[in-house]
Amino acid sequence: LGWRMGRRYVLGIESTAHTFAVAIVDDKLNVISDVRDVVRSGETLGIDPKLTAEHHANVAPQVLEKALNEAGMDITDIDAVAYSMGPGLGPALRIGATVARAIAHKFKKPLYPVHHGIGHIELTSTLLGFKDPLVVIVSGGHTSILSFNLGRWRTYGETLDITLGNLMDMFARKIGIPFPGGPKIEEIARKGRKYIEMPYGIKGNNMVYSGLLTYAIQLIGRTSVEDIAYSLQETAFTVLVEATERALTQVSKKEIGLTGGVASNDRLYNMMCSMAREHGVKVGRLEKKYNSDNGVQIAVVGMLYMKSGYAPVPVEEAVIKQRIRVEEVEIPWR
Ligand SMILES: Nc1ncnc2c1ncn2[C@@H]1O[C@H](COP(=O)(O)OP(=O)(O)OP(=O)(O)O)[C@@H](O)[C@H]1O
Ligand SMILES: [Mg+2]
């Protein structure tokens, strides 16, 4: 069996927001198991931090057990534990961190805190085989354009107010669609026929979305919801693609990795591709299941830390950081 052949394994725990997940990867970054449990939107209006944490605490034992069973492994076969340290909801983050600390302490395993966004970034660039990409991360927690420079992932542009995921989810809620609204808005937008001009917020390489949200909400009931959804998407995505194009000309990369939940949107992906084509740049994204939160992204970063010989964190120093930014994280493997 695999783990008896000198292979090393990292178990990753994700709990920043709606998803509690555990995954195991090996040192070739093969996914050995990948188990997730998402809090149902019926249980919470939007994401309620307390109810989400309760959900995570309830499902944690089963998710962990299932991940080990799927891998045919015992917890003692694991070589290290990684967990999402942030950014995210404090109460939810604490559940994942507590489970990780308990395993590390009881079974004397090295422990690696992982920045959730770095998880999206590294999983995407690694699986796509992109060596030095411009990364566009679009999710509920992030809307940023990043590039690796001087040992860290650096932000070249980002939203100055709400994220692209929030924009879609908040608009969706106003028309009675529960969280996550993004996929449903994509469907509705496909039926839109008329483009309505909306506030176009771009400042340098940065995006501004709250005026657009207000504008779209005010149109509800006055014109077809399909046309509003369509125009909202077209405007929001064009802003992002233009900001990406501006960043691209500054850092001159040959690849763009699109990641985070909103990367699953085909319209956004196609718009990004047409812009990139004009510059001779390749765009890549992962299959949908890897765009939304998962344990694999955390396990992969844990494995990168372990393989690069980076010092694990003592259990008593393994904290959570609700608002940590990508720039704060040293990347020893690039
Ligand atoms: N097809 C789609 N079109 C637009 N948005 C989508 C689509 N699919 C998912 N989303 C959006 O993606 C977001 C969820 O993304 P994800 O699971 O990566 O992250 P998050 O936990 O909200 O934020 P972060 O990863 O930054 O902590 C939600 O806002 C959801 O509406
Ligand atoms: Mg995420």
Side-chain angles (χ1 to χ4, degrees):
L1 286 168
W3 65 90
R4 298 185 205 283
M5 311 287 285
R7 277 263 126 94
R8 291 189 294 170
Y9 296 87
V10 172
L11 180 133
I13 302 174
E14 159 60 31
S15 78
T16 51
H18 41 74
T19 302
F20 186 86
V22 177
I24 300 168
V25 302
D26 70 12
D27 47 13
K28 296 249 157 56
L29 303 184
N30 295 307
V31 178
I32 311 300
S33 67
D34 175 4
V35 181
R36 310 159 185 213
D37 198 308
V38 182
V39 63
R40 280 183 291 121
S41 63
E43 293 169 13
T44 64
L45 246 183
I47 302 184
D48 178 289
K50 249 185 84 192
L51 292 179
T52 304
E54 251 167 52
H55 162 267
H56 292 357
N58 286 337
V59 303
Q62 296 104 276
V63 173
L64 176 62
E65 196 179 306
K66 208 166 155 210
L68 289 165
N69 287 346
E70 229 176 57
M73 295 172 91
D74 188 81
I75 190 81
T76 51
D77 300 319
I78 297 294
D79 296 278
V81 182
Y83 70 96
S84 276
M85 68 163 145
L89 309 168
L93 284 168
R94 258 170 233 122
I95 305 298
T98 303
V99 174
R101 283 193 296 258
I103 297 171
H105 179 72
K106 173 115 180 26
F107 301 98
K108 307 209 168 16
K109 303 293 181 187
L111 184 59
Y112 299 101
V114 171
H115 183 291
H116 175 86
I118 304 277
H120 278 298
I121 295 167
E122 292 291 349
L123 181 71
T124 304
S125 14
T126 316
L127 294 193
L128 291 173
F130 285 3
K131 288 270 166 338
D132 184 24
L134 189 70
V135 174
V136 178
I137 169 166
V138 277
S139 60
H142 295 84
T143 297
S144 312
I145 302 161
L146 304 136
S147 148
F148 187 78
N149 188 25
L150 300 172
R152 292 172 195 233
W153 284 99
R154 313 277 174 180
T155 305
Y156 276 77
E158 64 188 322
T159 176
L160 299 180
D161 44 37
I162 56 173
T163 64
L164 195 47
N166 285 159
L167 172 68
M168 296 306 163
D169 294 337
M170 286 157 94
F171 175 74
R173 221 163 120 183
K174 290 284 176 193
I175 55 171
I177 297 166
F179 178 88
K184 208 69 207 242
I185 297 296
E186 179 176 19
E187 251 180 74
I188 298 171
R190 261 191 224 115
K191 295 183 213 118
R193 290 291 164 264
K194 193 174 104 227
Y195 177 74
I196 306 156
E197 199 159 326
M198 292 189 176
Y200 187 86
I202 188 162
K203 291 192 193 303
N205 304 336
N206 301 312
M207 292 122 296
V208 181
Y209 285 134
S210 60
L212 175 59
L213 175 64
T214 308
Y215 193 87
I217 288 173
Q218 280 168 357
L219 281 176
I220 298 170
R222 292 204 263 150
T223 180
S224 94
V225 83
E226 287 81 7
D227 286 343
I228 306 174
Y230 166 68
S231 308
L232 176 68
Q233 269 201 182
E234 291 302 296
T235 310
F237 294 167
T238 308
V239 169
L240 177 74
V241 172
E242 181 174 348
T244 307
E245 186 173 29
R246 290 181 183 188
L248 193 64
T249 54
Q250 291 165 1
V251 296
S252 58
K253 303 286 180 188
K254 286 284 142 226
E255 292 148 341
I256 297 173
L258 192 57
T259 187
V262 188
S264 295
N265 188 294
D266 290 331
R267 179 62 185 145
L268 173 61
Y269 177 70
N270 291 331
M271 282 168 75
M272 198 60 87
C273 287
S274 2
M275 180 277 287
R277 210 173 298 123
E278 285 178 30
H279 297 274
V281 168
K282 205 155 95 188
V283 180
R285 65 171 172 178
L286 300 176
E287 44 177 320
K288 283 189 180 166
K289 67 172 180 183
Y290 289 130
N291 288 332
S292 49
D293 295 352
N294 62 79
V296 179
Q297 67 191 81
I298 307 305
V300 160
V301 174
M303 182 56 83
L304 293 170
Y305 276 122
M306 188 163 84
K307 285 176 81 172
S308 63
Y310 200 72
V313 168
V315 171
E316 57 281 7
E317 286 168 35
V319 293
I320 58 157
K321 294 181 180 172
Q322 285 182 64
R323 265 175 276 279
I324 186 168
R325 286 179 57 88
V326 284
E327 286 84 354
E328 294 176 52
V329 182
E330 269 177 37
I331 307 292
W333 56 84
R334 282 188 174 266

